[in-house]
Amino acid sequence: MTLSTSRRLRPSLLLEMVHLLRPFWKAIVGATAAGAIGGIAMAWLLSIINTSINTSVSVSGLMAFAVLAVLSLAGQSLAGIGNSIIGQKIVARLRQQICGRILSAPLATIETAKAHRLLAVLNNDVEKVAEFAHHFAGYAAALAVVVGCLVYLFLLSPVVLAFALGLVALGAWLNHVAMSVWVVRFEEARKLEDTLQKHYRGIIEGAKELRLNRMRRRFLERQKVIPLTERIAGLNARAFAIFWGADTLSIALLLGMIGAILAARPHLGIGNDAITGFIIVMLFAKGPVEELAGALPVFSQAQVAFRRISALSVEFRNAAPSSEPLTVQAPVFMRDIALRNIRHSRVPDQASAFTLEVPGLTILRGEVVFVVGGNGSGKTTLIKILLGLYQPESGTLLLDGRPVAAEALEAYRQLFSAVFADYHLFEDIVAAPGAMERANAWLHRLDLAHLVNLEAGRFSTVDLSTGQRKRLALLHAILEDREILVFDEWAADQDPGYRKLFYTTILPELRRAGRTVIVVSHDDRYFDVADRVVHMEGGRIVAIVPGHSVRADAPRHLAVP
């Protein structure tokens, strides 16, 4: 992140934090007040203890001691419980906001952000904020005790308060200097976490390939994972070493200050009760002060994490389309969907980027259209634009002759069900009433009933072969009862029998049911099933021909009629 980018994000970071905390401000104020009362009571309790050292304790003094002890414990307990609950609610809200923004962001933004970066934010960064939130109650109570002790010292003697404030100021400056150094290490370590997440995905998702290639496995482990994890560990270790060095020096300053006061007490002109009160308070406050000092690296890591979360949130908020309610209805599809003068680049503003150019394409209601072409010809990009998942740089997407505006894309997408080549198989079935009976029928038809059951609206297992999982994905698409179905290389992982069932039985059935079907395919022996076949090459449509006219030995380069 550049300096200018960091500066631009600072107001956004503040706004994100205010937005996150706003729903809990009353509870935060209440918990903070309880902690402050507990801290003041504890300081008052110290004053009674200090007074009782030099004089006898009266009954009223004992009663005051008991009341203040109960008040201090109750205040700190309420503050602890309240801040713990608030902290967990904040973390839950943070997770909900991040997931919500990812879910509402355009597909291109998510693909640009990369899965490993999103996982690093959802896992590492949120956990760092959660760690700080989990311990926030203790930090708040410790701060209240320290403030109460300073108030007591003021009442005891302005002179000893001046010593205490000097010590606090010196310790704060020391920690500020140290913090400015260790935060840089935490920032650098956090940046490396994104790359580590990418290697984690490679280890898990590439498990089969890595076991077939020992050299690649050793390279990933020894040249990537080990150096990277050691680099992250080294940065964090140096950051914590700086912290503990500063913490040790702070304790040395405290002890040195107590020694200096003891040595200079004959010349200070203050009573013994002030001297003993100062020493008692400083020794008592040592624990809370150390707890607050220990919060600094945790706070620094949480700050770094929240900055990354804020940057991602702002990025996704700026890219997200206008939100629409979940009850949004799909528009009426009467005649056709069409593309006009489409131009779209995978990597904009680069001369070498892949560019899709489609002067015109119309898909008629109720027809079966095959989209064919070699790898990298633009088939999937074309499909994503047709589905409204990509917004092209120029050109128009039309529904029944009317342009689909950006704010209407969410409703437009509800016309489609799709099984992509890189599909994700969900366990839960989200479909219209009566879908369970149909699902059981389709499980039998797809020869999956002996492997998969429906339990409380979800598949009992999705741990199946590639072809079987893809058949479950087909079942999902059919049960959604959408007007338009899209299958991207669905048959590529199927046995010949299921491939034939798909092309010669299921697709004609969908056509007879009035569904519009778009199929990305390489199975030229079944091209005659299609009403039309769209041939693509180099990001352009080179031919659109009737399906029955295409033979397996047909020429590859055909003119667009």
Side-chain angles (χ1 to χ4, degrees):
M1 183 182 295
T2 64
L3 180 60
S4 60
T5 303
S6 176
R7 285 173 178 167
R8 287 198 304 271
L9 285 176
R10 282 172 190 165
S12 299
L13 178 63
L14 180 61
L15 289 175
E16 287 290 320
M17 187 170 295
V18 170
H19 179 68
L20 183 65
L21 298 179
R22 184 183 298 143
F24 313 107
W25 73 269
K26 291 182 180 179
I28 292 172
V29 170
T32 303
I37 292 171
I40 293 172
M42 179 59 70
W44 198 345
L45 195 62
L46 289 177
S47 70
I48 293 177
I49 294 173
N50 183 42
T51 302
S52 301
I53 292 176
N54 300 314
T55 61
S56 60
V57 184
S58 64
V59 175
S60 59
L62 290 175
M63 291 180 62
F65 180 91
V67 170
L68 289 171
V70 170
L71 188 60
S72 175
L73 294 174
Q76 293 187 44
S77 177
L78 288 174
I81 294 172
N83 281 311
S84 295
I85 294 173
I86 295 167
Q88 294 309 310
K89 287 185 176 180
I90 289 172
V91 170
R93 180 176 171 83
L94 190 59
R95 287 170 171 156
Q96 293 162 12
Q97 286 184 348
I98 296 172
C99 289
R101 293 206 175 142
I102 293 174
L103 288 170
S104 65
L107 178 65
T109 303
I110 296 174
E111 292 177 344
T112 302
K114 304 299 182 185
H116 63 271
R117 179 189 168 205
L118 300 180
L119 288 173
V121 170
L122 284 167
N123 293 323
N124 294 358
D125 291 331
V126 172
E127 286 305 314
K128 292 297 182 185
V129 175
E131 181 181 357
F132 179 76
H134 179 69
H135 295 288
F136 182 74
Y139 304 148
L143 179 61
V145 169
V146 172
V147 172
C149 288
L150 292 176
V151 171
Y152 169 62
L153 288 179
F154 171 74
L155 298 175
L156 190 64
S157 170
V159 175
V160 296
L161 175 64
F163 277 103
L165 290 177
L167 180 62
V168 170
L170 188 58
W173 175 81
L174 177 64
N175 280 297
H176 171 73
V177 173
M179 190 173 177
S180 65
V181 178
W182 75 54
V183 164
V184 174
R185 272 93 178 149
F186 285 142
E187 285 272 14
E188 188 176 351
R190 174 55 189 84
K191 290 177 182 178
L192 296 177
E193 291 284 352
D194 286 347
T195 305
L196 186 61
Q197 285 285 336
K198 182 165 61 175
H199 294 327
Y200 284 164
R201 293 192 65 191
I203 290 172
I204 296 169
E205 297 175 6
K208 298 184 295 297
E209 292 82 353
L210 290 173
R211 277 148 187 79
L212 293 175
N213 191 325
R214 182 180 179 186
M215 186 177 296
R216 179 180 295 280
R217 187 170 73 245
R218 288 168 63 90
F219 174 80
L220 178 60
E221 180 183 12
R222 299 186 180 184
Q223 303 299 319
K224 298 293 184 181
V225 174
I226 291 178
L228 187 58
T229 52
E230 289 182 349
R231 173 67 175 160
I232 293 172
L235 288 168
N236 285 327
R238 284 194 291 275
F240 278 106
I242 294 169
F243 158 71
W244 285 114
D247 182 69
T248 301
L249 188 54
S250 296
I251 296 173
L253 289 173
L254 171 62
L255 297 177
M257 183 68 72
I258 292 175
I261 288 180
L262 289 175
R265 67 187 279 190
H267 311 288
L268 293 177
I270 56 177
N272 289 336
D273 58 336
I275 295 295
T276 56
F278 174 81
I279 294 173
I280 290 173
V281 167
M282 288 293 99
L283 292 177
F284 178 81
K286 177 176 175 293
V289 168
E290 287 179 347
E291 186 172 1
L292 290 174
L296 291 176
V298 180
F299 173 75
S300 299
Q301 290 181 314
Q303 185 181 31
V304 170
F306 199 83
R307 191 177 295 124
R308 305 283 290 199
I309 293 170
S310 177
L312 182 71
S313 297
V314 171
E315 175 186 340
F316 275 24
R317 177 196 291 160
N318 292 339
S322 300
S323 59
E324 296 188 31
L326 289 176
T327 56
V328 63
Q329 296 296 317
V332 176
F333 176 38
M334 300 294 295
R335 188 176 68 252
D336 59 52
I337 56 174
L339 301 177
R340 295 289 182 266
N341 301 317
I342 295 295
R343 189 180 192 280
H344 183 72
S345 299
R346 287 180 186 162
V347 186
D349 304 324
Q350 291 187 15
S352 60
F354 170 85
T355 301
L356 178 78
E357 293 184 352
V358 180
L361 174 65
T362 301
I363 308 293
L364 301 176
R365 177 182 171 85
E367 72 173 343
V368 176
V369 176
F370 281 16
V371 180
V372 304
N375 293 332
S377 61
K379 303 185 300 295
T380 299
T381 303
L382 175 70
I383 292 299
K384 289 179 179 178
I385 292 176
L386 275 170
L387 270 62
L389 295 173
Y390 283 174
Q391 286 188 263
E393 297 162 22
S394 61
T396 309
L397 169 65
L398 300 105
L399 173 64
D400 292 333
R402 295 185 298 274
V404 180
E407 59 270 16
L409 282 173
E410 176 69 18
Y412 169 79
R413 286 193 287 263
Q414 307 315 302
L415 289 169
F416 297 88
S417 289
V419 180
F420 298 99
D422 56 347
Y423 70 99
H424 178 82
L425 180 59
F426 292 94
E427 296 182 357
D428 296 286
I429 295 176
V430 180
M436 296 303 140
E437 292 74 13
R438 295 175 57 207
N440 280 312
W442 274 98
L443 285 174
H444 283 87
R445 188 177 189 185
L446 297 173
D447 196 26
L448 295 171
H450 64 294
L451 299 171
V452 182
N453 299 317
L454 292 174
E455 300 176 353
R458 63 186 303 173
F459 298 126
S460 59
T461 182
V462 292
D463 188 16
L464 305 169
S465 70
T466 302
Q468 290 165 342
R469 286 171 55 84
K470 217 162 192 179
R471 275 178 264 161
L472 284 182
L474 171 67
L475 190 155
H476 268 304
I478 289 176
L479 291 180
E480 288 176 359
D481 282 330
R482 300 292 178 85
E483 293 283 351
I484 308 169
L485 291 95
V486 177
F487 301 104
D488 188 355
E489 296 290 357
W490 183 88
D493 301 309
Q494 302 301 323
D495 294 335
Y498 297 113
R499 188 176 300 160
K500 183 178 180 180
L501 173 69
F502 174 72
Y503 285 113
T504 64
T505 302
I506 294 177
L507 292 186
E509 285 181 2
L510 292 172
R511 180 198 284 120
R512 288 193 295 271
R515 300 290 184 263
T516 303
V517 185
I518 304 171
V519 180
V520 177
S521 175
H522 286 105
D523 289 321
D524 51 10
R525 72 179 66 184
Y526 295 110
F527 283 1
D528 61 324
V529 174
D531 296 298
R532 289 184 299 152
V533 180
V534 178
H535 291 261
M536 298 197 66
E537 186 176 303
R540 290 165 175 77
I541 297 175
V542 297
I544 302 176
V545 298
H548 61 77
S549 68
V550 181
R551 308 183 311 276
D553 58 351
R556 303 298 292 177
H557 299 280
L558 302 172
V560 178

